[in-house]
Amino acid sequence: MEFLSDDILLTSQLAKDLYRSYARDLPIIDYHCHIDPKDILQDKKFENITQLWLYGDHYKWRLMRNCGADERFITGGADDFQKFEAFARCLPRCIGNPIYVWCHMELKGYFGYEGEINGSTARRIFDFTKEKLASSEFSVRNIIRRSNVEIICTTDDPADDLSAHIQLKREENLGFKVLPSFRPDRAIHVEKKDFPRYVEKLQAASGVKIDGIESLKEALLKRLDFFHRQGCKVSDHALDSYIYRECGDAEAERIFQKAIARQPLDELEVEKFQTYMLLFLAKKYAGYGMAMQLHYNCLRNNNSVMSRKLGSDTGFDSINSSRSPVKLARLLDALYEEGCLPKTIVYSLDPNDDKLINTIINCFQSEAVGKLQHGSAWWFNDTKCGIASHLATLAEYSVLGNFIGMLTDSRSFTSYIRHDYFRRLLCDFVANQVNNGEYPNNKENLKTLIDNICYYNVKNYLF
């Protein structure tokens, strides 16, 4: 097969037919990303491909460091062409890495450039894409429109004023929706040094004087209600590991007061507080009909020197190993027992947890089709093998036809190509089941499967 052909990742004629007939042209619902809604409001335009691809993209930064690029070409003071050239020189070594394929698919899909990315082509690509990016066709809004995106759910802190979302909601001809997601990590991670400062910020945003655990909950509930009125359909929680420790009101109050006084907390206190707050919020999500996303098992800021220098989300995180997965079951059980388990999407950065997650969440399925979801292959796992493994495990241990599909988890406006990448792999997986005689070649059933996983399931699940 030729490089980057229209049939990339599609290994049979049936896979090609499924992709072209059903998957390719379906709208995209990107229900978890880190796009800045202000960029959409301002209809931002990028001056060059470095700004589009490399500013803030720690996926690419990790590759560059792995290839020995000096930090000035990554996050430092080198000019934009020098940074792109340094990245382009690294890329030919990255055979088998999804970033290699994504970059070439983005160049072809958005810019019509079908050549290779390497050191010798860097100047040509930089100048070619710079000219393209200068046109209105490549404003942020037009990139979203031509990507066939219907809904974007950004990631927003409870203290955010959502001004960009409010203004975008008023625009009649936008062509897509931009909705907030409720991400209360800073209110739950009581162990963080900036927790007292964040409480002050939340107090200002909510208008509630926060002097204890009850007023903290009141402030969060007030902000959650505000988010809900702005169209929020989903929350998100980033947790280092599975947690569940029973904690009453009095103990939560004691832990809160210690944190506000900047007194050190032990691991047990942290886990108790996080469990207490997560249970409180989950019950409220259920009342609003919102979905709760739980992202587990990321080991963050491993390189302390570079993390101090550059901050979080700069490429120094890794997969964390599973610890006490029984705690996931206990968390879900506590909510189910009270009749207030919300729609829940569970992700783990540790791919070894895939079977575990499916078998645990299947114990609590009720009321609606696929109410609990094993979230898509995430971050280090959204690779060719990672997605294929996730699909196979979901099929074998749960119900693949109920899956709500792919998300970008990205800060890049051209990363919607990852939905195309996923759809190709999905069609190939389904076609292999048919070609192996494990599923009938029934066009109506196959269309329903592909359509639902790529689009309709998530639309019905969240909207």
Side-chain angles (χ1 to χ4, degrees), residues 9 18 41 61 82 131 141 157 161-162 171 187 191 216 228 237 268 296 301 310 333 335 339 351 365 372 387 408 429:
L9 304 175
L18 292 176
L41 178 65
W61 294 352
Q82 290 173 324
E131 182 178 347
R141 295 187 183 191
D157 186 273
D161 63 12
L162 302 186
E171 298 197 21
E191 76 280 10
L216 174 63
H228 182 257
H237 297 267
L268 181 58
Y296 290 108
N301 303 323
L310 300 175
D333 189 53
L335 292 166
Q365 299 285 16
L372 274 68
I387 293 172
T408 63
F429 175 84

Side-chain angles (χ1 to χ4, degrees), residues 28 32 34-35 75 105 125 132 251 269 290 298 383 413:
I28 289 172
H32 176 71
H34 297 277
I35 291 296
T75 61
M105 288 177 72
I125 294 170
K132 292 270 191 179
E251 192 162 19
E269 289 174 316
M290 292 171 55
C298 178
T383 64
F413 286 96

